[in-house]
Amino acid sequence: MNTSTTARRALVLVSAVAVSTAVLTGCGSKGSDTHQDAAASTTTAAGTPSPTASPSATASATASATPSATPTPSASTSTSAKAGASAQPGNAKPGGPATQPPVAKPAIAAPVPVAKPGPVAPPPPPAPATPHVPPLQSSCKPSHPQPDEPKEAVGAALTSAAGQSRTLNLSNGGTDKLPPLPTNLVKAIAWQESGWQSGILACDGGIGTMQIMPNTVDWMNTKFATKSDPKTLSGNVQLGSQLLDWLVAYYGDSSFGGTYDLSADASGKTPLLDLVISAYNAGAGNVHYNTVTDPTSGQVVGSLVIPNPSYVANVKALMSSQPWNKAG
């Protein structure tokens, strides 16, 4: 073998080694990049939607974290905290410990329904087949068989009716003394139902200021031993206030141990007030206060079944705004 042949073979071997080294180096770089992408993807999936997520995906994530009706410290607090932490660049290093969300304060649950011991208010009659629609919210134009009393006279009658302490006749022959009603509650119900029009008659039969239904008249007069006429202003507001009183007694006795307090509880909620307002419009047979068990904590809490939440919200808003003080 001559010297030139040996030199050529050596050159070929050196070139092959160089090419192999370059290929191996490239393969190692590609494997490293793929691993980093996988780690980043895993971090995003374990946390909140990335900034490049579509609006629909973000909305879905937000909706799924919204607290349910059960007053429980929900996942929304911790999810929001994680979203804020991961959205800030450099807040956490890849592969490092996850940022801990702030500890949420436990929510105060609504009281558990507890029936009053001893005699209670009688149960309601069967719920109406169709709920009453106040004439101001009805597509059917109401009639005015009687002229409307001045707003000042209506307001004075409502104030007087709300301030009375009534005695309710119980089904076992006993009686129950009820405290005066909040004046703004009676006035707000009347404003929502009729706009304080004392001579109005709704298409479904609701009469006057408090929109008394005909089948309510004998029922209330019997329970409170009265003879109120719904076609007069004084009789109409008496019957409406009596119905509110009976609802306070019914729900107060069946679900709140005989407590008739309509003010907010420790959690800021007004369960008894909400039940009374709802049932005035929808009928007590359609409005309930039940117990539910929180699947997360196992805690038993109260739960309202209200078919007309917008009506309840409107009346409570009227109690606060008191538009009758601004009306001419």
Side-chain angles (χ1 to χ4, degrees):
M1 185 179 296
N2 56 31
T3 303
S4 60
T5 301
T6 302
R8 283 197 300 270
R9 288 182 179 179
L11 180 60
V12 170
L13 288 175
V14 170
S15 300
V17 170
V19 171
S20 300
T21 303
V23 171
L24 291 173
T25 302
C27 292
S29 174
K30 182 177 181 181
S32 176
D33 291 343
T34 303
H35 177 70
Q36 289 176 358
D37 289 343
S41 175
T42 303
T43 303
T44 302
T48 55
S50 66
T52 58
S54 65
S56 60
T58 305
S60 300
T62 304
S64 65
T66 302
S68 63
T70 306
T72 309
S74 74
S76 63
T77 303
S78 59
T79 302
S80 300
K82 289 180 181 178
S86 59
Q88 295 177 1
N91 188 61
K93 296 181 179 179
T99 303
Q100 294 297 322
V103 178
K105 295 182 179 179
I108 302 175
V112 177
V114 177
K116 172 187 173 183
V120 298
T130 56
H132 166 63
V133 179
L136 301 183
Q137 287 85 53
S138 175
S139 58
C140 179
K141 185 177 179 180
S143 60
H144 268 80
Q146 297 176 216
D148 291 331
E149 296 283 348
K151 290 291 192 294
E152 294 80 5
V154 175
L158 292 169
T159 300
S160 175
Q164 297 180 22
S165 297
R166 296 180 176 84
T167 300
L168 171 65
N169 293 324
L170 302 177
S171 53
N172 68 342
T175 59
D176 200 356
K177 191 75 171 179
L178 299 171
L181 293 164
T183 303
N184 281 355
L185 169 62
V186 180
K187 289 184 173 181
I189 290 283
W191 194 271
Q192 173 74 15
E193 290 286 335
S194 69
W196 286 18
Q197 299 178 72
S198 62
I200 197 170
L201 179 65
C203 296
D204 62 4
I207 304 170
T209 306
M210 301 294 286
Q211 284 296 284
I212 305 301
M213 300 301 289
N215 59 355
T216 303
V217 178
D218 290 340
W219 177 35
M220 287 297 101
N221 279 333
T222 299
K223 295 304 177 188
F224 290 92
T226 54
K227 296 180 180 180
S228 297
D229 182 356
K231 295 181 181 179
T232 66
L233 173 59
S234 60
N236 190 281
V237 297
Q238 280 292 333
L239 288 165
S241 299
Q242 287 170 352
L243 178 55
L244 287 169
D245 263 333
W246 177 84
L247 291 169
V248 170
Y250 172 68
Y251 289 109
D253 287 351
S254 63
S255 300
F256 297 91
T259 299
Y260 304 145
D261 188 1
L262 296 173
S263 59
D265 59 22
S267 65
K269 299 178 181 179
T270 54
L272 181 54
L273 176 63
D274 292 357
L275 292 167
V276 169
I277 295 174
S278 175
Y280 187 93
N281 171 254
N286 295 318
V287 181
H288 308 284
Y289 191 44
N290 303 323
T291 57
V292 295
T293 301
D294 186 337
T296 304
S297 64
Q299 184 180 24
V300 179
V301 295
S303 174
L304 281 69
V305 179
I306 290 180
N308 51 351
S310 60
Y311 180 91
V312 175
N314 288 344
V315 170
K316 292 173 75 173
L318 290 170
M319 291 176 67
S320 299
S321 62
Q322 304 178 39
W324 46 84
N325 290 333
K326 307 168 187 175

